[in-house]
Amino acid sequence: MAILIRLAGHILLSPTNTLLLTAFFLSVIPLMLSVTYPVYWWLELSSDAQRGAAALMALPGMFLDVLLILFAGTVFPAMATEAVVHFGAILLFGYAIVLLTGFVQLRR
């Protein structure tokens, strides 16, 4: 996702384009679901193991994204300063969805 934001973050996270920002926010839901559930199914995880796997998938990215937010001006030079708030919100939203998948079982 960081590469996408690096290339098109100034467009996707523009505070002036509410419709595109909302669509980008909503696109995070199916993206995170399509990443996490196949991993659970591939590894044939129990519901308890699924919770741990969700945490293990989310935590490394959360720690690395701290650096992305701190150095957003350097890493994403085309992104407006106001857009960094939206970027952080989308990251937190994505991690919340990943963690939620640890508790919500879907059938294959």
Side-chain angles (χ1 to χ4, degrees):
M1 183 186 269
I3 295 169
L4 175 68
I5 299 300
R6 170 82 173 160
L7 298 174
H10 61 287
I11 297 166
L12 295 171
L13 298 171
S14 173
T16 59
N17 194 341
T18 308
L19 183 62
L20 184 60
L21 186 60
T22 302
F24 187 47
F25 235 102
L26 292 176
S27 72
V28 170
I29 296 169
L31 178 65
M32 294 296 104
L33 296 178
S34 69
V35 169
T36 54
Y37 282 115
V39 171
Y40 301 151
W41 297 331
W42 179 59
L43 296 174
E44 299 177 357
L45 298 178
S46 67
S47 59
D48 289 335
Q50 190 170 313
R51 285 189 280 281
L56 289 174
M57 283 192 275
L59 285 174
M62 292 173 84
F63 282 119
L64 291 173
D65 286 341
V66 168
L67 297 174
L68 284 179
I69 297 296
L70 282 174
F71 301 108
T74 304
V75 178
F76 309 113
M79 186 187 301
T81 306
E82 303 85 33
V84 175
V85 173
H86 300 297
F87 179 55
I90 286 175
L91 289 173
L92 285 173
F93 185 60
Y95 289 123
I97 292 172
V98 169
L99 291 172
L100 186 61
T101 64
F103 294 92
V104 178
Q105 293 271 334
L106 286 185
R107 294 180 187 235
R108 291 185 213 186

